[in-house]
Amino acid sequence: MKKRILRYLKHIFGTITVLVITGICALLYLNGSLNYGQNSKSYDLSHEGPYVFYENDSLLTINYVKGNRHDGFYVDTKHHTLKQLISGTCFFPLDSTSFTFPLKSNFQTPKAIYNDGNKILAISDIESKYKTFRDFLISNQVIDKELNWTFGKGHLVLVGDFVDRGFSTTQVLWFIYKLEQEAKKHGGNVHFILGNHELKNLQGQYKSAEQKYYAIASILGKQQYNLYDQNSFLGKWMASKNTIELINGILFTHGGIHPEITESNLTLQDLNRINRENYYNRYFPKPEKNIIQTVLSTKKGICWYRGYFRDNLSQEEVEKGIEKFNAKTIVVGHTIQSKVKKYYNGKVLAIDVKHPDDYSSSWPNKKSEGLLIENNNFFRTFYNGTKEKL
């Protein structure tokens, strides 16, 4: 009887061991990680904000969440006219830091094409990790420790998915908004190129948002889709952005160029216009098939396409899509990589890596990477400011 029990236990233990090893191998193969030890400050709402909304064409309300779970929460609301000089302050609970920025609502649509030869630093898929993003920029001398712009006339290119899956969406968005203004003072540029998760937030799809933001919306007396709708300051600001840009001969978009777009007569300006006109419209496939449906598609659209890594594309097909827009190379995020990599003889550069979480540890331990383009050379650039030529 004992032998039978021992054999049974060995069989169970062996099965469990195989399953654990298989799970670990799958996790590593998919470039994933396990998070643990979450810091309780991730749900600290005591200084959350600002949440800024348009009351009408001339009035803004600026809202901060105050209070705590024990004593209750309330909203500190102030009203301002658009003509007033207004500033906002954004607090980050983890290290009790904050930054201030002027609120200027005269949003302008960025250009689609830039050609000045200045250096470029690109990073993607930060996914609401403010500290990770901030510290990466400090280490790579884009900003100093006081968050002042130090990148001169350089281009900081943010290749989509800076929201969702984390506890600092508000901090990340206001930080980008602040960086834009800082860069302009020095002749530099911040390019916030929207990815599929920015589109989801504009369209009221919050499946990937942390539960924290449901609570915030409720405290504000709003639904979650209101946080970035047409009456939201940050929503209007995001809705002014592009989904694809050509900078110094390099294309930047979150997903990629599907062959059907390659065969169309659409320009970069057309792609941006079509997406911008539909930022607040959820995509549903329609019976009629046309190029607009392709541009907006959640499979073939430039914010969603994963074909460089999943479709059996030829070198010629890839190059044709890039050359259509007078580019030499395309840089994309969206599809996670173990490190910044080049594909198709260097014509496709993939920069979506797993960034470390602000509020928890992970196994395997992840480190941020980005892409530096300088003097026609391409470098993997790391969390500590070092770099390695691709």
Side-chain angles (χ1 to χ4, degrees):
M1 185 69 176
K2 278 186 179 181
K3 289 182 179 180
R4 187 180 302 170
I5 292 172
L6 285 174
R7 281 200 304 270
Y8 182 67
L9 290 174
K10 284 180 180 179
H11 176 72
I12 291 175
F13 179 76
T15 301
I16 292 172
T17 301
V18 169
L19 289 173
V20 169
I21 292 172
T22 301
I24 290 172
C25 290
L27 183 73
L28 296 174
Y29 177 76
L30 295 171
N31 302 313
S33 62
L34 295 174
N35 288 353
Y36 61 92
Q38 183 172 306
N39 192 305
S40 61
K41 289 186 178 181
S42 59
Y43 278 97
D44 182 356
L45 308 183
S46 57
H47 299 282
E48 182 69 22
Y51 292 90
V52 184
F53 302 95
Y54 293 86
E55 287 293 304
N56 51 47
D57 292 337
S58 61
L59 193 67
L60 281 178
T61 62
I62 302 179
N63 305 274
Y64 292 90
V65 174
K66 299 292 182 69
N68 55 64
R69 289 186 180 184
H70 182 265
D71 299 315
F73 292 102
Y74 66 97
V75 181
D76 180 6
T77 301
K78 289 184 172 58
H79 301 272
H80 297 272
T81 66
L82 294 179
K83 293 181 179 179
Q84 289 178 280
L85 294 174
I86 315 166
S87 64
T89 300
C90 192
F91 179 75
F92 180 55
L94 184 62
D95 56 17
S96 297
T97 58
S98 60
F99 56 89
T100 303
F101 43 88
L103 288 163
K104 300 178 180 179
S105 59
N106 55 334
F107 309 132
Q108 296 180 344
T109 300
K111 297 187 298 182
I113 300 174
Y114 300 78
N115 190 20
D116 54 26
N118 294 320
K119 58 186 174 182
I120 300 169
L121 181 67
I123 187 170
S124 81
D125 296 83
I126 283 293
E127 297 179 341
S128 302
K129 301 172 178 70
Y130 167 72
K131 181 179 182 297
T132 290
F133 182 33
R134 178 196 67 191
D135 293 353
F136 180 85
L137 296 186
I138 292 171
S139 296
N140 283 278
Q141 300 179 3
V142 175
I143 56 174
D144 62 22
K145 290 183 178 180
E146 285 70 48
L147 311 187
N148 300 307
W149 182 263
T150 57
F151 205 48
K153 295 182 178 180
H155 299 271
L156 174 61
V157 187
L158 312 177
V159 196
D161 281 10
F162 277 68
V163 302
D164 283 346
R165 298 194 176 117
F167 294 91
S168 302
T169 295
T170 303
Q171 287 79 5
V172 166
L173 289 176
W174 284 123
F175 186 43
I176 297 170
Y177 178 79
K178 170 187 165 61
L179 288 173
E180 276 189 342
Q181 298 185 57
E182 289 283 325
K184 287 177 182 177
K185 294 177 186 176
H186 300 274
N189 286 280
V190 173
H191 307 259
F192 186 15
I193 295 170
L194 302 193
N196 62 304
H197 279 269
E198 281 81 22
L199 299 189
K200 286 183 177 184
N201 277 257
L202 290 173
Q203 295 167 3
Q205 301 182 55
Y206 293 106
K207 182 180 177 181
S208 300
E210 282 291 344
Q211 291 291 317
K212 164 184 176 178
Y213 292 101
Y214 289 91
I216 289 169
S218 179
I219 293 168
L220 291 170
K222 296 184 178 292
Q223 299 295 323
Q224 188 155 355
Y225 66 83
N226 295 134
L227 296 184
Y228 305 109
D229 68 11
Q230 289 97 325
N231 291 319
S232 157
F233 188 97
L234 283 175
K236 278 196 171 185
W237 169 69
M238 278 198 289
S240 71
K241 302 305 178 190
N242 288 329
T243 49
I244 186 168
E245 292 184 9
L246 178 66
I247 306 170
N248 297 337
I250 311 295
L251 272 179
F252 293 88
T253 193
H254 186 63
I257 307 296
H258 188 275
E260 288 180 21
I261 293 176
T262 301
E263 297 302 324
S264 74
N265 60 1
L266 295 177
T267 65
L268 290 181
Q269 290 82 355
D270 292 331
L271 292 174
N272 284 315
R273 174 183 52 78
I274 291 167
N275 271 297
R276 196 176 295 109
E277 289 173 351
N278 290 276
Y279 278 163
Y280 285 106
N281 299 324
R282 290 196 184 194
Y283 173 79
F284 295 99
K286 295 179 174 60
E288 68 275 12
K289 303 298 181 184
N290 56 49
I291 192 59
I292 291 178
Q293 286 286 295
T294 300
V295 173
L296 301 176
S297 168
T298 57
K299 296 186 182 298
K300 300 177 181 179
I302 59 174
C303 297
W304 297 85
Y305 186 52
R306 299 185 193 270
Y308 297 139
F309 315 101
R310 295 183 178 178
D311 292 352
N312 187 24
L313 298 178
S314 68
Q315 183 75 27
E316 182 183 2
E317 284 177 304
V318 171
E319 292 188 14
K320 191 175 179 181
I322 296 167
E323 291 168 0
K324 170 183 172 61
F325 300 106
N326 298 315
K328 299 174 287 188
T329 307
I330 188 168
V331 177
V332 298
H334 193 43
T335 304
I336 197 164
Q337 310 290 319
S338 60
K339 61 182 181 179
V340 169
K341 291 182 182 179
K342 57 184 180 180
Y343 292 86
Y344 294 97
N345 298 325
K347 290 295 182 180
V348 175
L349 299 176
I351 67 169
D352 175 11
V353 301
K354 180 72 174 176
H355 299 283
D357 188 78
D358 285 347
Y359 286 98
S360 62
S361 301
S362 64
W363 184 90
N365 190 25
K366 297 296 183 180
K367 300 293 184 183
S368 287
E369 292 187 23
L371 173 71
L372 177 66
I373 305 172
E374 190 172 18
N375 299 323
N376 294 317
N377 293 308
F378 297 82
F379 301 91
R380 288 171 66 199
T381 183
F382 302 101
Y383 72 100
N384 58 3
T386 60
K387 61 185 181 182
E388 173 183 292
K389 193 167 184 180
L390 270 176

